[in-house]
């Protein structure tokens, strides 16, 4: 989930090209991304699937360094992944 910074909103018309660059950065770490523009507390939501936590760290550090957005992240597991972990509980 994310919000534009004052710099990002000042150049909001450039957001679609910035999103394309973000898709490329995520692909460089072998990931996939979906972006939704939203109403309410956040300006957008990105769903990113990457192979490792290190990969998302690299992609989000790159994104943050551009100065256009601030993000909040949360790790999620698919239903199947979560069920496997829960089944291993003792």
């Amino acid at each position: 989930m994310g919000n534009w910074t004052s710099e990002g909103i000042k150049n909001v018309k450039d957001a679609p090209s910035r999103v394309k660059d973000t898709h490329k950065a995520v692909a460089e770490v072998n990931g996939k991304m979906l972006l939704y523009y939203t109403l309410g507390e956040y300006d957008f939501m990105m769903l990113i699937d990457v192979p490792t936590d290190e990969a998302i760290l690299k992609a989000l550090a790159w994104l943050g360094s551009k100065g256009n957005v601030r993000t909040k992240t949360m790790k999620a597991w698919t239903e199947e992944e979560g069920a496997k972990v829960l089944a291993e509980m003792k």
Side-chain angles (χ1 to χ4, degrees):
M1 296 159 301
N3 290 99
W4 288 307
T5 62
S6 57
E7 185 68 22
I9 196 67
K10 187 179 355 175
N11 300 306
V12 73
K13 65 179 174 31
D14 299 330
S17 67
R18 295 192 309 246
V19 170
K20 287 181 184 179
D21 291 342
T22 305
H23 276 284
K24 289 176 190 172
V26 170
E28 286 178 12
V29 294
N30 298 314
K32 299 176 197 163
M33 180 186 105
L34 293 172
L35 180 127
Y36 297 90
Y37 294 102
T38 58
L39 297 174
E41 184 177 352
Y42 298 100
D43 297 318
F44 60 89
M45 180 176 68
M46 293 171 27
L47 300 174
I48 300 176
D49 185 17
V50 291
T52 65
D53 290 343
E54 292 78 12
I56 194 61
L57 176 60
K58 185 176 181 180
L60 289 178
W62 172 86
L63 179 61
S65 75
K66 302 303 175 191
N68 294 301
V69 299
R70 295 277 181 256
T71 60
K72 291 188 178 189
T73 61
M74 73 173 87
K75 184 169 180 164
W77 290 263
T78 65
E79 183 177 349
E80 292 79 17
E81 291 166 338
K84 181 180 177 187
V85 170
L86 296 174
E88 295 171 358
M89 290 180 63
K90 296 194 187 244

